[in-house]
Amino acid sequence: MRAKPFKLQLPEKLWWDHNAWYRRWLLRQLPSRAQSALDVGCGHGVLARSIPADEVTAIDASARMIELASATSSRVRWIHGDVLTHDLGQYDVVTAEASLHHLPLREGLTRLAELTRPGGTLIVVGLYLTATPADWAVEMVTLPANAIVGVAKAVNGTAGKPHDVDMPVVMTAPTLNEIRTAAREILPGARVRRHLFWRYSMVWHAPEVH
């Protein structure tokens, strides 16, 4: 993974939460009913609290994030730990919102696949590094769109710095080609799509065991 290059930044009063923009999309990808779910890199726990499963577990490597998230809901089982090594079992649904780039790509994808029960669903919304002519073409649309949304949110009072100052930030990400190559090898049949605002999505249905 490589450091992300400098990007044109909006004034802080126009900043907004790109992850929240795609959260409703992510939730629509979930099965209508799941017994168990795991949210990886849960941060403040907004996504974990929204997952419609009978039992929801959320894990984050940051003790501060788990402290903040656990104060918001007792319905979710909050875990401070390393998803790569913590004993977690398997789940009907596994989600990772802007957290996969905190892990080595192939090791992270392999672990997420292990955590997904046969017949279960893995859903990732992540960041990718702008690296190819196609990426830069999308960037030409993303930059003005980012500003327009920021202005609109400032007008209605929903803009501003989206994250807690204690939220861990990792300024690295794989390229979209690297993500697609790893997904083909580790998660056969996974659907990887590019989105605006420097995001991609990945949906994988774990094969049933017969």
Side-chain angles (χ1 to χ4, degrees):
M1 295 184 183
R2 293 166 295 282
K4 279 196 170 187
F6 171 79
K7 288 185 180 296
L8 182 64
Q9 291 287 337
L10 296 175
E12 186 169 337
K13 65 182 180 180
L14 300 183
W15 290 4
W16 55 281
D17 191 343
H18 299 93
N19 296 326
W21 181 270
Y22 288 108
R23 193 167 295 136
R24 283 183 293 180
W25 175 91
L26 189 158
L27 290 169
R28 289 197 299 270
Q29 311 312 305
L30 299 177
S32 57
R33 187 69 176 179
Q35 180 177 349
S36 61
L38 173 69
D39 185 36
V40 176
C42 63
H44 290 151
V46 179
L47 174 58
R49 295 193 300 271
S50 303
I51 295 174
D54 295 336
E55 298 176 359
V56 179
T57 300
I59 187 169
D60 200 290
S62 167
R64 175 59 175 165
M65 290 300 101
I66 291 298
E67 177 187 3
L68 293 171
S70 62
T72 65
S73 173
S74 59
R75 184 181 74 88
V76 178
R77 178 190 176 211
W78 306 101
I79 297 175
H80 171 223
D82 183 346
V83 68
L84 295 178
T85 58
H86 202 91
D87 185 9
L88 290 165
Q90 289 188 314
Y91 301 82
D92 298 321
V93 169
V94 176
T95 58
E97 180 187 80
S99 59
L100 183 57
H101 66 285
H102 287 259
L103 306 172
L105 176 60
R106 291 174 181 273
E107 188 177 359
L109 283 179
T110 299
R111 180 59 171 155
L112 294 180
E114 292 172 351
L115 294 168
T116 307
R117 182 170 293 149
T121 302
L122 167 64
I123 306 169
V124 175
V125 173
L127 286 72
Y128 71 89
L129 179 72
T130 303
T132 69
D135 296 340
W136 288 108
V138 173
E139 188 96 340
M140 295 303 100
V141 177
T142 294
L143 289 173
N146 188 47
I148 290 169
V149 174
V151 170
K153 286 183 173 292
V155 169
N156 65 24
T158 60
K161 187 173 174 58
H163 299 307
D164 187 277
V165 293
D166 293 320
M167 180 80 77
V169 176
V170 176
M171 296 304 291
T172 60
T175 68
L176 196 55
N177 285 340
E178 289 170 338
I179 293 162
R180 285 174 167 156
T181 298
R184 281 195 299 269
E185 296 174 5
I186 299 167
L187 307 173
R191 184 175 76 246
V192 180
R193 293 180 176 173
R194 182 203 308 270
H195 297 273
L196 286 178
F197 310 125
W198 306 283
R199 298 300 189 273
Y200 71 92
S201 65
M202 181 187 305
V203 179
W204 179 67
H205 301 288
E208 297 274 6
V209 174
H210 299 288

